[in-house]
Amino acid sequence: MKIILVDDEQKFINMLAKRLIMRGIQADIAFTGEDAIKKVRDTVYDAAVLDIKMPGISGIQLKKELKVIDSDLKFIFVTGHGVASKSESNMIEEDLYLSKPLDIEILIEDLNKIIKNG
Amino acid sequence: MIKINQTFIKNFWPTFHNHGQNSHLKSFYTFTDYWRLWVLSVLILIATALLPLCLVTIIHYQLIQKSVDSELNLRVERLSSNATNAINFFMEERLDALIFTVNEIGYDKLTNKRKLDEIFKNLKLGFGGLTDLSVLDTDGNQINYSGPFNLEGKNYKNQAWFSESLGKKYFISEVFNGYRDLPHIIIAVRSVKPDGSFFILRATLDTERLFQKLTSYRTGDHADLFLVNNEGILQTPSVTYGSIFEQTHLILPKKSGNRKIVETPPKKTDLFISKHSFISTKIVGTPFILVVQKKKADMMHTWLDLRRNINWTVGISTVLIILVISFASTFMVNKLFLVDKAKAETMLQMEQSHQLASIGQLAAGVAHEINNPLAVINQTAGYIKDLFSFKDEPRNDEEILEYIDSILDSVDRCGTITQQLLGFVRQFDIKIKKVCLKEIIADVLNFHKKEAEYRQINVSTSFPDIIPEIITDKGKLQQILINLINNAFQSVDEGCSINIIVSWITMGTIKIVIQDTGCGIPEENLVKIHEPFFSTKQGKKGTGLGLSITYGLVKKLDGTISVQSTKDVGTAFTIVLPVKIQEKELG
């Protein structure tokens, strides 16, 4: 399984990536949307874990752009807000979203679920 | 009955006096002084209602007074005219009879005692009112006499009336006593003897008959009719002035030379209306003036009765009007007060709920801010745990220390945020104190730092060289700034900018401009934005209270707020605040 983590909280995704790698998941990281687009163009990923609120391109916008590049890509959203706001939840209702701080086991479980379903 | 009483008291008894226990609530009332409102309403209504009533009453009074006066005058006039005619006629009749006698009978027969007696008898039968009849020569000797008194051979040369009658063809005297020592009037006619010299035919009038004639015109108790001579001496008895020959001291009209009946208009004094008219026959004047007096007060009782009735009606109407107006005003002001109170309570509730909402918004932002470091802590701690459980790697103390530092760092971040939040929320309670504008604006902007970063909004602040410190209610100022800055953030798109410019206006006032390059406010909405419940954020989080509350808060800080906006160009809110707020109880 090869995934990409996108979040501006660098320490957070560093740690998360390290822990996922320990669990046998190939995890790349990107701190900005632009970086993520570049990486998705170069590499084929099974899933992308996106932070909703990011400087520049937001998670939701990023999903649209990534979907254009790789239509098979699966998404999981991560948000610092307890609940995503109404307009946000409309956008992501077909996707999973997890709130911060997140449990790595649940993330892996969800990743497995969406990749298997696809 | 008790229920009716309660309803009455509730509606018509002032219930607005308990107004103002809560000074915060008070600040939402539209009217501050309900008693003043009540008094004003009562006074204006009473003045409007009573002024025409009083005017009409006064006009009515004057009209009645006038008509009563003219009625009084008319009566006096009529009475005077009737009595004057009667007296005139009485005199004239007798004078004419005498003239006829002189012309018809001739001197020779008149000097005959028997003939004179016969003539006198016939005159008495025909006309009446004569006491005696005599013939005098130019020396005043009584040549012939017919009558009940023993006056034969008397000489009248020294009597005033004789010399006067000698000078005139016809003569009517005043009332005087003369030889007989009884009040009488003389009518004398001068004629010519066959030898060419004068003789005088004199008749004495029965004054009793004259008195009776006058008395017959005296109608009611309030009228007084009497004769006076030119000197104001009574010629007949008067009710008011006493018996005959008394001095009346009346102010009399001057006797005119001609023989026409001269009348004076009725004179009005406080006590009575009087009219003087000269008694005069067609051919000769008399020394008599007929005085008619009517007591005013007695005749006025009709008018006084009427006036009493009017006074009662006006009085009762006035009391009724005042009562109705007072009750109506109380009812109105009570209702107004209740509506205003309900409005104030709603506004207070709304302000509180809005305050809660803005704190809620704040909390959401804070949660986001805290969740990020928490996620870092979570992952870092998880990683350390993984290091021990997954790989049995040799312990790299340095790396672990780094991770623990990272955890501590994130905990610090959380701590800072919660401290900030606490400090912020606590300030909602603090009353007037010294506030540094730069700090407070920085505090508010702090909560939007991430949002600005995410949305690439350029936030800039500008302060004058001397950074203003103002003495005001910090909580309120903070809320004003939160509301306006929130609005600015909501109205701008990505890449826009928000500028906050603080500058001095005068030494005592400062201006804060919050400017954005957002969507702007359409002109038709500009006038409505401070109205409660006006919102264009349809379906979003707008309650329509933000600006209305902000407006109220600025007013409470003795400041003013204004807005300039151009659609699609941007909006600028300008707040002008005093540097030192007036010491007063702030709600």
Side-chain angles (χ1 to χ4, degrees):
Chain A
M1 196 193 302
K2 199 173 168 79
I3 64 162
I4 181 163
L5 306 173
V6 189
D7 197 328
D8 60 320
E9 279 289 338
Q10 306 190 355
K11 278 179 184 167
F12 166 68
I13 51 167
N14 273 335
M15 282 300 135
L16 190 59
K18 280 186 179 185
R19 295 185 74 196
L20 287 170
I21 291 163
M22 270 185 190
R23 285 164 177 76
I25 296 167
Q26 281 181 281
D28 263 1
I29 53 172
F31 299 136
T32 64
E34 289 84 356
D35 195 14
I37 290 166
K38 214 180 284 167
K39 287 198 161 134
V40 171
R41 277 210 184 105
D42 296 341
T43 322
V44 177
Y45 294 101
D46 296 311
V49 177
L50 307 179
D51 185 15
I52 294 175
K53 279 207 165 177
M54 283 187 294
I57 305 170
S58 77
I60 289 155
Q61 183 64 31
L62 185 59
K63 179 197 160 184
K64 286 182 191 160
E65 293 187 21
L66 293 181
K67 202 89 186 165
V68 174
I69 300 164
D70 181 353
S71 56
D72 291 335
L73 198 61
K74 301 290 179 291
F75 296 93
I76 288 180
F77 286 102
V78 173
T79 173
H81 287 285
V83 182
S85 69
K86 214 178 173 185
S87 57
E88 283 167 350
S89 58
N90 279 341
M91 298 291 292
I92 56 173
E93 59 189 350
E94 71 266 33
D95 300 299
L96 282 166
Y97 84 91
L98 300 168
S99 50
K100 284 181 186 176
L102 55 80
D103 189 328
I104 192 158
E105 303 305 333
I106 293 171
L107 177 66
I108 294 168
E109 210 174 285
D110 286 346
L111 281 170
N112 284 329
K113 210 189 291 171
I114 57 164
I115 291 167
K116 210 182 281 168
N117 288 350
Chain B
M1 190 63 197
I2 291 166
K3 205 177 167 190
I4 292 168
N5 267 347
Q6 280 174 345
T7 317
F8 181 80
I9 285 171
K10 209 173 109 193
N11 282 322
F12 297 108
W13 204 252
T15 50
F16 39 84
H17 51 267
N18 55 0
H19 162 51
Q21 329 92 324
N22 182 341
S23 62
H24 194 175
L25 190 63
K26 201 175 168 179
S27 65
F28 287 111
Y29 279 96
T30 308
F31 298 103
T32 45
D33 193 344
Y34 275 89
W35 273 113
R36 212 176 136 245
L37 196 69
W38 184 83
V39 169
L40 221 67
S41 141
V42 167
L43 287 183
I44 289 171
L45 287 176
I46 285 178
T48 322
L50 290 191
L51 206 70
L53 186 70
C54 291
L55 274 176
V56 167
T57 309
I58 290 167
I59 292 169
H60 201 67
Y61 267 13
Q62 284 175 342
L63 281 179
I64 290 176
Q65 181 93 51
K66 234 182 197 166
S67 74
V68 165
D69 273 358
S70 71
E71 171 66 24
L72 222 69
N73 283 351
L74 206 70
R75 283 197 206 178
V76 171
E77 202 96 51
R78 204 163 49 218
L79 189 61
S80 169
S81 152
N82 288 348
T84 310
N85 284 342
I87 306 292
N88 278 344
F89 183 68
F90 181 79
M91 297 287 182
E92 209 163 271
E93 210 179 20
R94 271 131 206 96
L95 182 64
D96 286 346
L98 228 58
I99 293 166
F100 175 78
T101 309
V102 168
N103 292 344
E104 185 63 28
I105 311 292
Y107 180 70
D108 293 338
K109 283 181 186 168
L110 285 174
T111 46
N112 183 320
K113 169 76 175 142
R114 226 182 55 231
K115 194 75 191 164
L116 193 69
D117 281 343
E118 199 179 321
I119 292 165
F120 178 57
K121 202 176 118 198
N122 284 334
L123 281 176
K124 268 177 91 172
L125 272 173
F127 300 98
L130 293 174
T131 315
D132 56 12
L133 192 68
S134 59
V135 179
L136 290 98
D137 66 11
T138 46
D139 294 327
N141 296 317
Q142 187 155 266
I143 300 161
N144 201 356
Y145 175 81
S146 174
F149 300 104
N150 187 20
L151 295 172
E152 269 166 80
K154 286 270 178 198
N155 186 289
Y156 293 96
K157 194 168 186 164
N158 296 324
Q159 297 247 330
W161 67 267
F162 177 74
S163 46
E164 223 173 312
S165 65
L166 206 58
K168 291 175 182 168
K169 201 162 183 193
Y170 313 105
F171 171 72
I172 297 171
S173 81
E174 291 178 9
V175 179
F176 68 105
N177 280 344
Y179 287 125
R180 68 193 74 178
D181 208 20
L182 275 172
H184 62 285
I185 298 165
I186 283 168
I187 299 179
V189 177
R190 194 185 65 186
S191 192
V192 191
K193 281 191 234 173
D195 62 1
S197 63
F198 292 145
F199 74 93
I200 287 167
L201 179 67
R202 179 200 81 158
T204 310
L205 286 187
D206 183 359
T207 47
E208 208 47 54
R209 180 100 176 248
L210 193 67
F211 297 169
Q212 278 166 14
K213 230 177 182 59
L214 277 177
T215 314
S216 72
Y217 282 96
R218 187 175 293 153
T219 51
D221 297 331
H222 319 307
D224 192 8
L225 275 90
F226 53 87
L227 294 174
V228 291
N229 67 7
N230 291 320
E231 282 81 44
I233 292 163
L234 278 178
Q235 303 290 295
T236 62
S238 151
V239 180
T240 323
Y241 297 98
S243 53
I244 198 160
F245 300 134
E246 291 280 337
Q247 177 57 255
T248 58
H249 300 295
L250 283 169
I251 300 155
L252 295 167
K254 277 190 183 150
K255 186 158 174 95
S256 66
N258 62 36
R259 290 174 174 182
K260 277 186 191 159
I261 295 168
V262 179
E263 290 182 342
T264 57
K267 285 180 185 167
K268 272 181 269 179
T269 69
D270 287 339
L271 289 173
F272 48 73
I273 291 185
S274 65
K275 185 175 162 69
H276 305 149
S277 29
F278 289 106
I279 302 295
S280 180
T281 64
K282 277 179 191 131
I283 44 176
V284 67
T286 76
F288 301 116
I289 298 170
L290 175 73
V291 180
V292 177
Q293 286 190 338
K294 254 182 184 297
K295 273 193 191 156
K296 215 173 164 184
D298 288 334
M299 280 190 67
M300 293 270 279
H301 74 267
T302 326
W303 154 231
L304 290 174
D305 278 352
L306 192 68
R307 199 166 69 174
R308 201 166 46 234
N309 284 344
I310 293 172
N311 284 347
W312 270 107
T313 315
V314 169
I316 290 169
S317 308
T318 307
V319 170
L320 266 176
I321 286 170
I322 289 173
L323 275 178
V324 167
I325 284 175
S326 300
F327 283 139
S329 294
T330 313
F331 180 78
M332 233 163 56
V333 176
N334 268 350
K335 288 282 175 225
L336 194 67
F337 171 70
L338 287 178
V339 171
D340 204 11
K341 195 174 155 193
K343 184 206 104 184
E345 280 165 358
T346 312
M347 286 297 283
L348 184 68
Q349 257 174 22
M350 285 299 164
E351 195 195 64
Q352 280 164 351
S353 72
H354 184 80
Q355 212 165 5
L356 280 176
S358 54
I359 290 169
Q361 257 180 338
L362 216 67
V366 169
H368 185 248
E369 296 306 303
I370 291 173
N371 281 339
N372 273 320
L374 279 180
V376 177
I377 293 167
N378 177 278
Q379 293 313 321
T380 316
Y383 181 63
I384 294 168
K385 197 178 153 200
D386 287 353
L387 281 182
F388 289 105
S389 54
F390 271 73
K391 309 173 188 173
D392 200 15
E393 270 185 10
R395 293 170 201 188
N396 186 344
D397 286 348
E398 233 173 83
E399 197 189 2
I400 290 171
L401 275 177
E402 195 189 310
Y403 296 144
I404 290 171
D405 277 346
S406 166
I407 292 173
L408 291 175
D409 187 39
S410 295
V411 170
D412 269 355
R413 253 175 81 187
C414 291
T416 313
I417 292 162
T418 49
Q419 283 305 311
Q420 239 177 24
L421 180 69
L422 278 178
F424 202 83
V425 174
R426 204 181 291 132
Q427 278 155 6
F428 279 113
D429 301 330
I430 293 168
K431 295 290 174 191
I432 300 163
K433 61 181 272 184
K434 202 181 262 181
V435 179
C436 176
L437 263 182
K438 192 171 184 174
E439 276 173 21
I440 198 172
I441 289 171
D443 275 351
V444 176
L445 284 175
N446 227 351
F447 290 103
H448 294 282
K449 210 164 78 188
K450 281 281 167 190
E451 194 184 348
E453 259 174 43
Y454 293 143
R455 295 172 55 197
Q456 291 173 323
I457 295 163
N458 174 34
V459 180
S460 72
T461 51
S462 139
F463 292 94
D465 292 340
I466 306 161
I467 294 162
E469 268 193 344
I470 68 173
I471 295 164
T472 192
D473 185 325
K474 189 173 179 182
K476 288 199 170 65
L477 182 57
Q478 220 163 21
Q479 220 187 334
I480 293 164
L481 292 170
I482 290 176
N483 287 344
L484 292 178
I485 291 173
N486 268 350
N487 274 353
F489 268 96
Q490 281 166 10
S491 69
V492 294
D493 293 322
E494 278 184 22
C496 287
S497 58
I498 293 172
N499 305 316
I500 297 164
I501 304 148
V502 178
S503 58
W504 292 97
I505 295 182
T506 62
M507 285 300 285
T509 46
I510 194 142
K511 186 167 81 171
I512 306 166
V513 181
I514 295 161
Q515 210 173 49
D516 65 59
T517 54
C519 53
I521 305 165
E523 209 172 310
E524 67 266 25
N525 288 348
L526 263 182
V527 284
K528 292 192 266 182
I529 56 168
H530 291 303
E531 284 173 16
F533 308 112
F534 177 77
S535 178
T536 53
K537 302 171 189 164
Q538 288 147 350
K540 292 199 209 162
K541 46 204 155 186
T543 56
L545 284 172
L547 279 176
S548 137
I549 286 167
T550 306
Y551 187 74
L553 290 171
V554 173
K555 244 169 64 179
K556 280 180 197 165
L557 297 185
D558 295 341
T560 57
I561 182 167
S562 59
V563 59
Q564 293 88 41
S565 185
T566 314
K567 198 164 161 43
D568 300 327
V569 172
T571 308
F573 280 92
T574 306
I575 308 163
V576 176
L577 289 175
V579 168
K580 190 172 190 296
I581 196 167
Q582 290 292 308
E583 288 291 337
K584 64 176 178 190
E585 210 194 337
L586 275 158

